[in-house]
Amino acid sequence: MTKIEKNLIMGIESSCDETAVAIVSDAGDILSNVILTQLDEHKPYGGVVPEIAARSHIDHLNGLIREAMNEAKVGFDDLSAIAVTSGPGLIGGVMVGLMTAKSIAFARKIPLISVNHLEGHALSIRLTEDVKFPYLLLLVSGGHCQLLVVKGVGDYQRLGTTIDDAAGEAFDKTAKILGLGYPGGPAVEKAALNGDPKRFKFPRPLKGKPGSNFSFSGLKTAVLRARDEVVEENGGHLTKQDVSDLAASFQQALTETILNRVQNGIKEYLDTYPDAEPVFVVAGGVAANSAIKEKLAELCKEYNLTVKAPPMKLCTDNGAMIAWAGVEKFKRNEFADFDIGAVARWPLDPDAPPAVGAGVKA
Ligand code: KG4
Ligand code: ZN
């Protein structure tokens, strides 16, 4: 085994359909970051099936832990702590990761660090870039769509959240409606490249309203209705061009909705924190969308904010972001007791007013 000078933290992620393990040093070196995506197991159902996800995490987690340690060339004795997602997420999967982490921590007598999955996304930019607190963050994933001021570790102000679907969920549902398969985001983005974004007049939910909350469910319903109309006009089918036009019109409507809501949030952020870092961070799976990122960059330029996003591999669910959130908490001596449980709902800003309809997505 190599001689380790720095503190090494193992991160375990199992809250959705990725089983992931990483080993990251307190200096920000990613020694390993292994991910197993359960795409094929959920594909036939057009979305993540919680029971299938939990069983798959059980089947694969131990092997991935071994793989992550082999790749990092370390043993259990080299670890300073073990960080794990203990919520929010699909509870069966979260329990698998949490129980495994507890067992390792107990057997090896190393501290356990409990990580909020959303905080993993929120802090991941600090793993790869020197971004100081506070900064403005748009967290857009399959399960969440929130605009937050990241004031510090464990210290968040939520400016807005979705009142119904998450942005990634809207992509996934639209893909299903258009027969593009799962996961929907990349497929819709690809189809939209050859489409006419002006062909269908889809709604921009909440556009022009005050505040930074988001809403996407009306958009999905509009796509469904438009698809049915086109199918009827065509005598029972959709052409490839129809699919591209529907995808492009959807993506444009969703992007404009996000931009409008974010613009309100930027103004509020700059008013409240005039001396803050002029940085706008986008994280979560939807941050992989180039069209959305490009438009956000244009908007942010108007307000002299620089857009930063973690590299693609750290945008979607991964173990390195959990290990890194673990590092941030390790440095603050924030360790968990062994009696902590898995939680399905765990808002980053517990003081934010409840968003009706958002459920676990808030
Ligand atoms: O962060 P993530 O891996 O998992 C959650 O915590 O939800 O995000 C996955 C979501 C899925 O809904 C997926 O369709 C979406 O991110 N996504 C995208 C793109 N790549 C992934 N959405 C739009 N455009 C993309 N290129
Ligand atoms: Zn996520």
Side-chain angles (χ1 to χ4, degrees), residues 15-18 117 121 140-144 167-169 171-172 182-187 189 251 284-290 292 315-317:
S15 67
C16 194
D17 58 342
E18 266 93 24
H117 177 86
H121 280 301
V140 266
S141 69
H144 301 273
E169 195 177 357
F171 268 101
D172 294 334
Y182 175 82
E189 182 177 14
Q251 188 171 271
V286 184
N289 186 293
S290 309
I292 295 178
C315 262
T316 47
D317 288 351

Side-chain angles (χ1 to χ4, degrees), residues 223-241:
V223 175
L224 181 64
R225 207 169 298 135
R227 181 207 64 183
D228 289 348
E229 277 169 23
V230 177
V231 168
E232 202 177 316
E233 278 163 26
N234 291 355
H237 68 280
L238 283 180
T239 66
K240 208 168 167 209
Q241 193 57 50

Side-chain angles (χ1 to χ4, degrees), residues 171 197-198 200-205 207 215-216 218-220 222-223 246-261 292:
F171 268 101
K198 296 204 179 74
F200 298 95
K201 305 274 173 286
F202 290 143
R204 273 73 171 149
K207 188 174 172 186
S215 165
F216 300 109
L219 186 51
K220 162 199 69 193
V223 175
L246 283 160
S249 301
F250 158 80
Q251 188 171 271
Q252 173 113 333
L254 181 133
T255 307
E256 278 182 26
T257 304
I258 289 184
L259 287 191
N260 176 262
R261 314 312 298 154
I292 295 178

Side-chain angles (χ1 to χ4, degrees), residues 74-135:
V74 300
F76 282 119
D77 288 342
D78 298 312
L79 299 179
S80 297
I82 179 146
V84 62
T85 298
S86 47
L90 303 173
I91 203 76
V94 177
M95 282 163 68
V96 173
L98 182 58
M99 293 310 151
T100 307
K102 279 186 186 179
S103 313
I104 297 172
F106 184 75
R108 295 285 160 174
K109 297 188 174 53
I110 52 174
L112 176 72
I113 301 174
S114 159
V115 173
N116 180 321
H117 177 86
L118 303 175
E119 182 153 45
H121 280 301
L123 300 177
S124 58
I125 193 71
R126 286 164 50 89
L127 171 55
T128 52
E129 299 203 38
D130 183 22
V131 176
K132 296 192 174 54
F133 301 122
Y135 53 88

